[in-house]
Structure formats: structure tokens, C-alpha cells
Amino acid sequence: MPSLTKELVISRSKLQSSRTIFDVPKLSERLAALDAVVAKDDFWEDQDRAKKVLKERTQLAAAVESYQKLAAELEDARVLGELASEENDQETAREAAAQLDGVEAGIRRQMLSRMLSGADDEKDAIVSINAGAGGTDAQDWAEILLRMYLRWADQKGYKTEIIDTLPGDEAGIKSATFSVEGPYAYGYLKLEEGVHRLVRISPFNASGKRHTSFSSVAVFPQADEEIEIEIAEKDLRIETFRASGAGGQHVNKTSSAVRLVHIPTGIVVSCQQEKSQHRNRDLAMKVLKARLYQKEKEEQEKKRQKVYDEKEDIAWGSQIRSYVLQPYQLVKDHRTAMEVGNVQAVLDGDLDGFMEQALLSRKTKAAVPAANDVP
């Protein structure tokens, strides 16, 4: 069975390449150094340091374990392949091929997770969607994008929470802000930041003409609890108002909605999703801290004169992706030239392919700290 033998050779080569990229011996050496630190009697005397060490240890252990698991699965596929060849057993050959497919997918996941090596990539994310040019169509498009990202997060097993939405005039939404909690949520979602363009026959136009709509997506890393972001009372203006809604029982009878204005920066954050004013304020404060944290990061990067290539320019006309429903069906990412014909699958949350290509195009490579460089 020549094709199966060839696939085994290719998979073994890829796994060996991933071992080199990950530098598994160095990872194992670093893991042993951290284990030695954890075993010390005074380990918990500095709790902040202890948390950092344990967090890094967990990540390294997962990486090493993942590689070892893939190596074991590849060996199982090799044994199955040899058995299938000796017995000329097509069913066993198919089983070996399926095992190889799993190994290939695992290697790809490892490669991608290694590329998510930014300082904040592993953090939870806060996503903001804003309708742009296109009137009611753009507001409807913003709501479609919201649904798309919520579905993507659900498929990943991530936890999401709507923080704020502003309904559209006739349909859709003018804006929405939501949080996404899960491993590398920010690392993945930051790849979606930019302008998204929709071309379709407008359902809001009686003449049935094609219409182009734009909506923008902004992504911020949630600030860790260990990162102190001080907001002085004199720098904060807190406003309360009645939450807007679709009418009927959804209309809020009390001023439970909260708007926070950070006076020095002009950043405005609002939340009206919860019935409790206290809860709305807590959620709004979480978003404000995330935005202030991101702003500080950007300022530091500019001071160091680094090229600000982690984000695309969020300006109309510089869309990162186009979704065409008429006269043909196609989703095209303008950064990587990747094209997908199944538009509905993408709108239902199938975004991993676009994220994978965006990561590969950046050619990011993480460095492993030295074994003796323990925080």
C-alpha cells in the first residue's frame, strides 16, 4: 500500500519538524527547572511569583504531553499500516489512514498554538462590533457578524457574555460588545480585527439591487487581575440611563444602564444588558480596563518605535475580508488571498481556516526561556 506508506513518512517528517520548532528537549529541561522551584518549601511565600510559575508550568506540560501523545498515535498508525500491508486488509488500512489524519490535525494545531506567542495571546478577549457605511443593511450586517463570532466561540467551547448592544433603527444593531473566555481567545480573535465587507441583494431595498455594507471589528485583551489598572475617581464620570429595548416587557422601567466616561482619554463605555445597575457598572468597568490596558500597550510600542503590525488599519475602504452573496458566493480574505465558496458555513462560525492562514502569514515564532531563567 504505497500511498499509506508515503503518508506515514510525511507525517513522521512533520512531527520531527514540529519537535525541532518546539524544541521539545529544551521545553522538558525548562519544565524540570520549574518543577524544582515548585518543590521548594518557600514556593508560596511570594504568591504572585508562584502563580506565574505554575501558569508557565501548565503551558509547558501541555505542550510536551501533546507532542508525546502525537508521537504515540503516529507509532500506532505505523503498526496498523504494517499490519494492513502484510494482511492486505483494506479496513485496517482505512483505520491507519484515519489515525494519520488525526496526527496531521494535531500537528497543525500545535504549530498554530506555537504561533500564538504574543504577550497577551493566551488571554480572554473583549470584542466590539460597529456598523459602518450602509445604513440599515450595515446594521443588519453587524448583527450577522455578532452571530458568527458567538457561534465560532461556542464551537470552540468558549464562554461568551454580551456586555452591551445598541439596536439598529429598523433592524440589526448599531454596535455590540461581548466578552470571550477561553484558551488563546484574544490570540485568535485579534486576527479578525478590521473592516468586514458584505455584498448582497439588500432585503431592505424593494428594487432588489445589490448593496455593499461595512462593519468593523475591534478586539482587546482582558486585563489580568494581577495587572493593576488604577482609575482615579476624578478621572471617571458615571452616568445612568434607561436601557433601550424592543418594547413591551423588555423596556427597562428604571435607570439601570450605566455609561462610563474616562475623562483623560475620552474613552466611553456603556452597558445595559443586566437588570442590576451594579452588575452593569462592573461589566462596563471590565471593558474600560481592557481598553485602557490596550491603549497603554500601544503607547509603549510606539515609544519603542516598533512597527505596529499586530493590528490592521480600521478605516473604511481597508477591509480585511469580503463576503459576497450576489452575484456569486465567495468569502475572500484580502490579507492572505484565501477564498471559501461555502459562505453559509463561514457565517455559521467556520473561521478557523482564515485564522490559520493569517497566523501562518505572520510567521511568528516563540522563544523558549532558558531553563535557569525562572521568574
Side-chain angles (χ1 to χ4, degrees):
M1 299 180 181
S3 62
L4 186 58
T5 303
K6 184 179 179 181
E7 286 178 28
L8 275 163
V9 171
I10 292 172
S11 293
R12 189 178 292 112
S13 174
K14 286 183 178 179
L15 188 62
Q16 187 60 39
S17 296
S18 75
R19 186 178 190 273
T20 303
I21 291 173
F22 288 125
D23 200 346
V24 175
K26 193 172 182 180
L27 287 176
S28 300
E29 185 182 349
R30 172 71 172 174
L31 189 58
L34 294 177
D35 284 338
V37 172
V38 173
K40 291 182 178 179
D41 295 335
D42 62 348
F43 176 67
W44 286 104
E45 287 183 6
D46 185 344
Q47 294 204 7
D48 289 338
R49 175 177 176 269
K51 288 178 181 178
K52 290 178 182 178
V53 170
L54 288 176
K55 186 175 184 180
E56 183 184 356
R57 188 200 174 282
T58 299
Q59 292 172 344
L60 291 178
V64 172
E65 183 181 346
S66 179
Y67 176 83
Q68 292 172 341
K69 181 181 178 184
L70 287 173
E73 289 175 353
L74 183 60
E75 177 60 19
D76 290 344
R78 185 191 67 78
V79 172
L80 282 173
E82 290 180 354
L83 182 62
S85 181
E86 291 172 3
E87 302 293 333
N88 195 25
D89 187 338
Q90 294 298 324
E91 186 175 344
T92 303
R94 283 191 291 271
E95 187 179 346
Q99 185 95 352
L100 279 177
D101 288 342
V103 172
E104 290 274 354
I107 294 172
R108 188 168 61 251
R109 283 194 300 271
Q110 272 201 340
M111 294 289 197
L112 292 177
S113 66
R114 193 63 178 163
M115 290 178 183
L116 293 173
S117 56
D120 296 311
D121 283 355
E122 66 189 38
K123 291 182 175 148
D124 299 331
I126 289 177
V127 184
S128 178
I129 299 173
N130 289 277
T136 302
D137 278 277
Q139 292 167 17
D140 186 53
W141 173 223
E143 187 170 43
I144 293 172
L145 284 176
L146 173 62
R147 173 183 175 274
M148 180 179 78
Y149 288 118
L150 292 177
R151 288 207 165 193
W152 172 84
D154 183 62
Q155 292 164 16
K156 285 281 189 185
Y158 291 170
K159 177 184 175 183
T160 59
E161 182 176 17
I162 302 291
I163 294 173
D164 187 45
T165 55
L166 182 60
D169 296 325
E170 297 178 33
I173 55 173
K174 292 181 179 178
S175 64
T177 302
F178 61 98
S179 63
V180 182
E181 298 179 7
Y184 295 95
Y186 174 70
Y188 285 116
L189 285 167
K190 73 177 184 181
L191 302 168
E192 293 296 298
E193 187 168 67
V195 176
H196 296 250
R197 170 177 172 257
L198 174 69
V199 180
R200 64 174 177 177
I201 301 296
S202 172
F204 307 102
N205 190 320
S207 61
K209 294 182 178 179
R210 271 195 302 162
H211 192 92
T212 301
S213 307
F214 297 91
S215 287
S216 69
V217 176
V219 185
F220 312 95
Q222 286 198 39
D224 290 340
E225 292 181 2
E226 61 197 48
I227 298 175
E228 294 185 9
I229 298 176
E230 296 182 4
I231 302 176
E233 281 191 34
K234 64 181 179 63
D235 293 338
L236 195 63
R237 187 168 73 246
I238 303 172
E239 302 170 354
T240 58
F241 58 97
R242 290 190 179 184
S244 58
Q249 63 180 351
H250 298 291
V251 174
N252 204 325
K253 304 299 184 185
T254 61
S255 297
S256 62
V258 174
R259 182 183 296 112
L260 302 181
V261 181
H262 189 249
I263 298 169
T265 61
I267 294 175
V268 180
V269 174
S270 62
C271 181
Q272 57 179 322
Q273 293 304 113
E274 302 292 330
K275 294 179 180 179
S276 163
Q277 184 183 112
H278 204 55
R279 174 65 173 153
N280 282 330
R281 177 173 172 169
D282 288 344
L283 289 172
M285 187 64 75
K286 181 165 72 170
V287 176
L288 178 59
K289 286 184 176 181
R291 293 187 62 176
L292 288 173
Y293 175 63
Q294 180 74 350
K295 182 177 176 63
E296 177 62 24
K297 272 184 57 189
E298 292 173 6
E299 289 176 354
Q300 288 177 358
E301 288 173 0
K302 288 177 183 177
K303 287 177 182 177
R304 290 192 297 265
Q305 297 182 341
K306 287 187 176 180
V307 178
Y308 188 41
D309 59 359
E310 285 294 311
K311 300 183 183 298
E312 305 294 336
D313 182 22
I314 306 181
W316 306 124
S318 62
Q319 61 270 10
I320 64 164
R321 193 176 300 145
S322 291
Y323 307 71
V324 182
L325 301 181
Q326 294 289 342
Y328 53 86
Q329 297 227 338
L330 184 72
V331 181
K332 180 174 181 178
D333 195 296
H334 301 292
R335 301 163 300 177
T336 63
M338 179 178 175
E339 297 181 350
V340 172
N342 190 346
V343 180
Q344 192 55 54
V346 175
L347 295 179
D348 283 339
D350 187 5
L351 300 171
D352 286 349
F354 291 109
M355 293 177 176
E356 177 179 333
Q357 288 302 312
L359 275 172
L360 291 172
S361 69
R362 294 186 178 197
K363 298 180 180 179
T364 307
K365 184 178 179 181
V368 180
N372 59 354
D373 183 21
V374 178

